[in-house]
Amino acid sequence: MANPIPQASREWEFDVFLSFRGPETRYGFTGYLHKAFCEKGIRTFMDLEDLISGKKIQQTFARAIESSRIAIVVFSEHYADTDFLLRELVRILECSERYGQFVLPIFYLLDPGEVRHQRGSYEEAMARHEEKFKDKVPVWRAALRDAANLSGLHFKGDEFEYEFIERISKLVLAILKEDTLPVVADNPVRAEPQVKASQESLSSFSSPRQYQYHVFLNFRGCDTRYRFTGSLFKALRDKKIHTFMDDVGLHRGNDISRTLVEAIKGSRIAIIVFSENYAESTYCLDELVKILECQESDGQFVLPVFYDVYHSDVRRQTGSYGTAMAKHEEKFKDDPSKVEKWKRALHRAANITGFVFDGKKYEHEFIGKIVEVVSREIKRVNLHVADYPIGLESQISEVKSLVFSDGYDGVHMVGIHGNGGSGKTTVAHAIYHLIANGFESICFLENVRENSYKHGLVHLQNILLSNIFERKNLKSTSVEQGISTIQHWLQQKKILLILDDVDKLEQLQALAGKPDWFGSGTRVIVTTRDKSLIESHGIERIYEMENSNSVQ
């Protein structure tokens, strides 16, 4: 990777370059976005007319991409149909690497997973391109994957479009102020594991990820150990968040220790504390590379914190980061690939949405916000999962296959039927842990039968809404109101909902009445002792548990 040219040596002709599919968004979303930018004085390049598919990027476009501080890529349903846009995307990412431009993906009424893994309309488009552009397609696929792994914004159709555009405008203005990275968005697009789930892998059993720690802290000891990172560690620990913070003696020799490698691999979340002298440490850089590998392979949640350091210095390796990398290049001149790997890792990590501490706020309040985000993420995957009783592995595999038997699209409900003690709840828990990262939001409602008798259906509806949105103002006061609220707010969301131990039809009608209540890709799993109940609700995919009364 070429060294990014510092911004000071670049003269940007445009603030923003818009990459978009004309027939889908030109006269609607992208047109409004362009108008909003112009009204705020943001110099924006937007092509005036559609280009013919297959036409090479003209010199005007190539120059506009190179001369824009920010590139916004509006991924829509048929973006990948046009080979011109795919060439444009490759050029954008090349310029980001070379000149340090900021790339912001927007997923417009589109699941980011379709772009990242080329599913749905993107899979169809790439299949067509395979016939005509066989040599180009691997490059285009990599570009789509890399762009979709950048922190971006997702418009699902569940908010006013003008408010969403206003958020983008504020974000762009913040970036243009230089070195200002917005804090974590309310609904940031998160990276998914890069392992493709083939039909074969779905039918084979894979033990759920067992995490030893909730959080791994990656930091430069001499900068922040006894101040910021120490305070963050205490705040996480006070909230019962199991956190790995290395001891001073663990950094010995030339490479990071096996203990640190295992701690990184065994953590659900990695917090990277970028500070002034972070890049001087080869240990920090090696840890960073390993963290990003785990993000790709296991879907580890990565949260960068820029502590009294400009995020652009990290991304473009300028300032103290440029000085440190120059020293590394001299020291490791016989192994230049090592330094290039560190540079790529810094660039990539700095493009992940995170937190910026600029010394203009109370540090304890700043740490509180980080702990809040970590707590919310931990709720997605419970750390304490019992080992599966012998004999359930094959049943877990079969249920998982049933859940995705028709692919990933559409809304599907699956029933798990069995007697008390047959292991149906354990299987549901296993499925939950195996597939949770593929959904925008998740909710596991345990003991529906018992809780509905004790607290009523409205209570369960409110738990569902609070799990998905964490917004208190969505609470309902009646079953009818709850049904209306669930329908309204969930119909554009891809969620995983598990209803455990259902024994009344009214429970299903109140919590998951019809498939059209939910967004495409949603999966609803219901466990019950009464097969006729789920059949009467129209659930056709039903797994019969083998009776095993020894399983609790």
Side-chain angles (χ1 to χ4, degrees):
M1 180 182 77
N3 276 332
I5 297 174
Q7 187 186 354
S9 64
R10 295 282 298 169
E11 292 186 5
W12 306 106
E13 183 179 353
F14 301 101
D15 294 319
V16 174
F17 178 92
L18 290 174
S19 173
F20 63 98
R21 175 92 160 102
E24 290 183 296
T25 67
R26 175 187 299 281
Y27 300 115
F29 174 76
T30 304
Y32 279 120
L33 184 61
H34 179 257
K35 178 176 180 290
F37 285 168
C38 291
E39 289 173 350
K40 294 182 184 300
I42 299 171
R43 301 168 301 165
T44 307
F45 182 93
M46 175 177 174
D47 70 302
L48 299 178
E49 58 184 49
D50 288 326
L51 298 177
I52 300 172
S53 178
K55 189 174 183 180
K56 292 182 178 180
I57 296 181
Q58 298 174 347
Q59 289 184 350
T60 302
F61 271 71
R63 188 169 62 251
I65 292 171
E66 291 179 6
S67 303
S68 297
R69 175 72 185 87
I70 302 167
I72 294 180
V73 185
V74 182
F75 288 115
S76 52
E77 185 178 2
H78 296 290
Y79 180 96
D81 286 3
T82 309
D83 64 276
F84 176 84
L85 287 176
L86 295 170
R87 298 172 198 269
E88 190 172 274
L89 178 62
V90 170
R91 184 62 179 160
I92 286 170
L93 295 177
E94 288 175 349
C95 288
S96 175
E97 289 266 328
R98 184 174 182 186
Y99 303 123
Q101 287 148 312
F102 192 94
V103 180
L104 178 66
I106 305 294
F107 302 92
Y108 185 75
L109 296 175
L110 179 74
D111 182 351
E114 292 194 15
V115 182
R116 186 177 293 114
H117 303 302
Q118 288 104 67
R119 299 197 296 252
S121 61
Y122 280 68
E123 180 181 20
E124 295 169 3
M126 300 314 289
R128 289 193 295 271
H129 291 320
E130 288 275 8
E131 299 177 4
K132 189 175 180 181
F133 306 103
K134 189 173 183 180
D135 295 337
K136 301 281 187 183
V137 169
V139 177
W140 295 345
R141 286 186 182 276
L144 288 168
R145 184 194 65 235
D146 291 345
N149 269 330
L150 298 174
S151 293
L153 296 172
H154 187 187
F155 181 73
K156 313 180 190 72
D158 57 356
E159 63 180 305
F160 288 114
E161 192 169 277
Y162 71 85
E163 291 180 343
F164 181 72
I165 287 174
E166 184 62 24
R167 278 203 288 141
I168 299 173
S169 299
K170 289 179 179 177
L171 178 60
V172 167
L173 287 171
I175 296 167
L176 292 175
K177 285 181 180 178
E178 184 52 33
D179 302 327
T180 301
L181 188 73
V183 298
V184 174
D186 291 334
N187 294 292
V189 177
R190 42 193 323 280
E192 295 175 6
Q194 294 305 300
V195 181
K196 282 193 174 181
S198 65
Q199 199 62 34
E200 289 78 10
S201 67
L202 288 174
S203 62
S204 62
F205 175 73
S206 173
S207 295
R209 193 78 171 83
Q210 298 289 308
Y211 293 103
Q212 186 178 2
Y213 302 100
H214 288 112
V215 174
F216 178 91
L217 292 175
N218 169 245
F219 63 98
R220 180 79 162 109
C222 63
D223 281 353
T224 66
R225 178 185 297 278
Y226 299 116
R227 295 182 295 118
F228 174 77
T229 302
S231 298
L232 175 60
F233 175 74
K234 181 182 183 300
L236 292 166
R237 188 180 60 186
D238 288 347
K239 289 291 184 180
K240 311 299 182 188
I241 297 172
H242 192 33
T243 304
F244 182 93
M245 179 175 173
D246 74 305
D247 295 324
V248 178
L250 284 177
H251 282 154
R252 293 176 179 171
N254 295 321
D255 301 309
I256 58 175
S257 69
R258 174 178 288 275
T259 301
L260 289 171
V261 171
E262 292 304 315
I264 293 170
K265 292 167 64 177
S267 298
R268 175 74 190 93
I269 300 165
I271 296 178
I272 305 164
V273 182
F274 289 116
S275 55
E276 185 177 1
N277 300 301
Y278 177 96
E280 290 183 0
S281 169
T282 59
Y283 299 117
C284 286
L285 295 169
D286 282 339
E287 285 179 14
L288 177 63
V289 169
K290 188 63 182 177
I291 286 168
L292 295 178
E293 287 176 358
C294 290
Q295 183 197 42
E296 283 209 13
S297 61
D298 301 323
Q300 188 178 70
F301 187 80
V302 177
L303 184 62
V305 176
F306 301 88
Y307 184 79
D308 265 344
V309 67
Y310 293 129
H311 90 275
S312 64
D313 281 350
V314 181
R315 187 155 57 92
R316 294 197 293 270
Q317 291 101 63
T318 53
S320 64
Y321 281 70
T323 302
M325 299 316 289
K327 290 178 180 177
H328 292 321
E329 285 177 333
E330 177 62 27
K331 182 177 180 180
F332 299 101
K333 56 187 176 184
D334 293 334
D335 187 10
S337 62
K338 180 187 285 286
V339 180
E340 288 302 311
K341 184 163 59 175
W342 291 339
K343 287 182 177 180
R344 285 194 297 271
L346 288 168
H347 180 84
R348 181 176 152 198
N351 272 329
I352 299 173
T353 304
F355 284 98
V356 174
F357 182 77
D358 56 8
K360 297 178 181 178
K361 55 178 76 73
Y362 288 111
E363 194 169 281
H364 68 86
E365 292 180 351
F366 179 73
I367 285 175
K369 290 181 179 179
I370 297 173
V371 173
E372 187 179 313
V373 169
V374 170
S375 297
R376 189 167 65 230
E377 179 63 20
I378 287 172
K379 286 176 67 177
R380 296 177 62 88
V381 180
N382 183 359
L383 198 73
H384 305 292
V385 185
D387 292 335
Y388 302 141
I390 296 173
L392 285 186
E393 290 92 339
S394 62
Q395 296 183 69
I396 293 167
S397 176
E398 289 167 7
V399 173
K400 186 179 176 186
S401 296
L402 193 63
V403 169
F404 294 110
S405 59
D406 287 337
Y408 298 91
D409 299 324
V411 177
H412 299 299
M413 297 188 182
V414 175
I416 302 177
H417 170 244
N419 295 333
S422 61
K424 54 188 181 295
T425 298
T426 303
V427 169
H429 267 294
I431 298 299
Y432 174 83
H433 289 282
L434 285 169
I435 68 176
N437 276 349
F439 298 84
E440 294 174 41
S441 300
I442 56 178
C443 179
F444 193 117
L445 283 179
E446 296 187 272
N447 303 317
V448 171
R449 173 171 58 94
E450 179 181 347
N451 286 317
S452 65
Y453 292 154
K454 285 184 177 180
H455 308 291
L457 291 174
V458 173
H459 174 74
L460 291 175
Q461 289 175 324
N462 287 334
I463 290 177
L464 169 58
L465 290 168
S466 65
N467 267 264
I468 300 299
F469 294 100
E470 298 186 357
R471 289 169 60 174
K472 294 180 180 179
N473 62 332
L474 287 182
K475 284 188 175 180
S476 57
T477 57
S478 69
V479 173
E480 291 72 22
Q481 183 188 7
I483 289 174
S484 177
T485 304
I486 291 171
Q487 283 181 282
H488 176 75
W489 287 97
L490 297 187
Q491 61 186 203
Q492 295 295 330
K493 264 195 169 304
K494 175 185 175 182
I495 73 168
L496 172 63
L497 172 60
I498 297 183
L499 305 176
D500 174 51
D501 196 19
V502 172
D503 73 334
K504 297 289 184 184
L505 185 60
E506 63 188 37
Q507 296 161 0
L508 290 175
Q509 292 170 337
L511 298 166
K514 296 179 180 179
D516 62 12
W517 285 19
F518 309 99
S520 179
T522 290
R523 295 294 182 269
V524 179
I525 299 174
V526 181
T527 75
T528 184
R529 303 180 187 189
D530 185 353
K531 184 178 180 180
S532 64
L533 171 67
I534 48 180
E535 287 177 334
S536 63
H537 194 61
I539 297 177
E540 298 177 351
R541 304 180 186 193
I542 300 174
Y543 183 79
E544 293 282 354
M545 293 293 300
E546 299 173 9
N547 290 331
S548 179
N549 292 323
S550 63
V551 179
Q552 300 299 323

